[in-house]
Amino acid sequence: MQLASHELSHNLCFRTPVYNQALAVFSNIATGMPSASMFKRYHMEHHQFQGVDGVDVDIPSQAEVDFFMNSKAKKLLWLLLNPFFYSLRPVVQ
């Protein structure tokens, strides 16, 4: 479903952007996390500022790096919780 949100954020399903947004919101029901609208905003910023620390939310925060980097178990936990951290990065950064 997150892949669907990604494609819909680029308006690739319908020619009319509002239809893409409506389907993105509907597809979010399955994920249990209402993130489609905010995802589109931050994903577009990701493309505009790709690789810029502090702006590109695809780059883990320094706190994430410091906490999760020295343990395989912590790295696994980070992978499992990545959607949670991804959703918090725009708020924290």
Side-chain angles (χ1 to χ4, degrees), residues 23-89:
L23 184 57
V25 169
F26 179 75
S27 71
N28 262 176
I29 293 170
T31 67
M33 189 182 315
S35 62
S37 297
M38 293 305 291
F39 175 78
K40 180 173 183 164
R41 176 180 166 206
Y42 292 111
H43 187 63
M44 293 301 109
E45 285 180 2
H46 158 70
H47 281 285
Q48 187 175 0
F49 302 106
Q50 198 163 31
V52 178
D53 195 20
V55 181
D56 184 355
V57 294
D58 277 5
I59 298 175
S61 69
Q62 190 60 48
E64 288 173 76
V65 173
D66 292 342
F67 184 78
F68 293 104
M69 74 177 191
N70 290 323
S71 164
K72 289 181 182 179
K74 285 182 179 180
K75 287 180 183 178
L76 178 60
L77 180 64
W78 182 81
L79 285 172
L80 294 173
L81 297 176
N82 194 31
F84 173 74
F85 291 114
Y86 188 81
S87 68
L88 287 181
R89 279 187 210 131

